[in-house]
Amino acid sequence: DVHAVMFGGFGVDYLNDVWLLNLKTFEWTDVTPKMVSPHPRSQMSSCVCSGALWIFGGYFWARSKGEVYFDDLWSLCL
């Protein structure tokens, strides 16, 4: 099957969940990591390579910290 991958973003709050969309059935599957996962963020760069989702950088805003820009790299096995 062919899938689209979605990570993080911003709605009411910043998110760090991972979802797969099956492009044949249009069904969503939650694949959010159960262990260590990236800090919630938006405006990051990402790609899928060799069965892994790679996430770099991004942005987070918190009332207590203000603007936080990430320069980290994460690999999540899909």
Side-chain angles (χ1 to χ4, degrees):
D1 287 343
V2 178
H3 292 87
V5 182
M6 183 176 73
F7 168 81
F10 181 79
V12 174
D13 203 359
Y14 288 88
L15 305 169
N16 68 340
D17 50 352
V18 182
W19 291 85
L20 290 179
L21 172 63
N22 184 314
L23 295 176
K24 289 185 179 179
T25 64
F26 294 101
E27 293 182 56
W28 287 97
T29 303
D30 181 0
V31 292
T32 300
K34 304 295 184 235
M35 303 298 279
V36 176
S37 59
H39 192 280
R41 63 190 70 202
S42 66
Q43 302 177 21
M44 66 281 169
S45 297
S46 63
C47 69
V48 173
C49 181
S50 300
L53 172 63
W54 291 86
I55 300 164
F56 175 75
Y59 169 87
F60 179 83
W61 186 87
R63 187 178 314 271
S64 61
K65 295 181 182 180
E67 294 180 341
V68 176
Y69 292 92
F70 298 102
D71 63 354
D72 54 353
L73 179 65
W74 287 83
S75 174
L76 303 172
C77 182
L78 297 173

